[in-house]
Amino acid sequence: MRLSEILYKEVSPIWSSYLTHPFIRELKDGTLPVEKFRFYMIQDYRYLYDYCKVFALGIVKASDPDLMRFFSDFVYFTLNGEMTIHRAYLKRLGASRKEILSTPMSLANVSYTHYMLEKAYSGGVLEVMVSILACAWSYELIGQDLAKNDPQTLQDPFFGEWVQGYSSDKYAQETRQLIDMTDRLGEGISPAQLEELKEIFVNCSRYEYAFWDMAYKMEK
C-alpha cells in the first residue's frame, strides 16, 4: 500500500465525522449563521499564515532543488489562491485587515498550528508533508462530497463560492500533487517512522475536527 492509503485508512472515521458536523451540515443547508462563518473565516485566515510557514520549513529542510521548488510553489498557491477566496469573503463580511490581524487565534487554532510547526521543525520533509496533508486533503473530501451529493450548495448565493473553491479541479490537482509527493517521499520508510507519521496524521485530523467545533461554537 502507498503511504497515503495507509494514512487515509487510519483517519477515515474521523474524516467521515466532518461531513455530519453541524458547521458543514448547516453550510450545506444554507442555514449556517453568518456570524459563525465570519468567525470561521477570520480564524482560518490566521491559520493559513502558519500553514504557509510549515510549507516554508519544507524549503529549509529540502536538499533537492526540485523539492524546494515544490514547497515554494505551495507557499505561493496558498497566499495567492486559497487566501484570495478568504480575502473576498472577509471583505463581503466587513472584516478589515486591521481586525483580522488583531483578532487573537483561538486556543484550538493556535494549538493546531503550533503542533504542525513543531513537527515540521523537529522532523524532515516527510513530517512536513504529513502535517500539511490532513488539512488539504480533508477539505477536498468535504468540497467534493458537497458538490456531488448536494449540488445545490454550488449555487448558494453566500456559501457557493466556498464550495466551488474546494470542489474545483484546480484544488483537486493541487491536493493530488501533495498526495503524490507524500507517497514518493514515503517509499521505503521504516516501520518506526511509519508509526510516527500515522500519529501525526491522526492528530492533525483530530485537530481538524476541533477546528470545525471551535468555529461552530465560536470558541476563543
Side-chain angles (χ1 to χ4, degrees), residues 25-44:
R25 192 174 66 244
E26 292 180 15
L27 185 149
K28 176 184 69 176
D29 296 339
T31 60
L32 182 69
V34 172
E35 63 269 21
K36 292 188 179 185
F37 190 73
R38 187 180 194 274
F39 182 89
Y40 157 78
M41 289 298 287
I42 291 175
Q43 288 295 323
D44 201 44

Side-chain angles (χ1 to χ4, degrees), residues 38 52 68 82 126 130 137 142 166 186 207:
R38 187 180 194 274
C52 285
M68 293 175 71
E82 190 170 0
L126 193 48
V130 173
W137 194 0
I142 293 168
Y166 290 113
Y207 272 123

Side-chain angles (χ1 to χ4, degrees), residues 18 20 31 48 54-55 60 64 66 78 82 85 91 101 114 124 126 143 148 176 185-186 189 192 197 216 220:
Y18 304 158
T20 58
T31 60
L48 288 172
V54 179
F55 276 120
V60 175
D64 179 347
D66 289 338
T78 304
E82 190 170 0
I85 297 174
K91 185 176 181 180
L101 297 181
H114 281 201
L126 193 48
K148 179 181 178 181
R176 176 45 58 186
L185 296 173
I189 59 172
L197 294 172
Y216 189 74
K220 298 182 178 179

Side-chain angles (χ1 to χ4, degrees), residues 181-192:
M181 181 59 74
T182 300
D183 287 337
R184 195 189 97 186
L185 296 173
E187 292 178 359
I189 59 172
S190 69

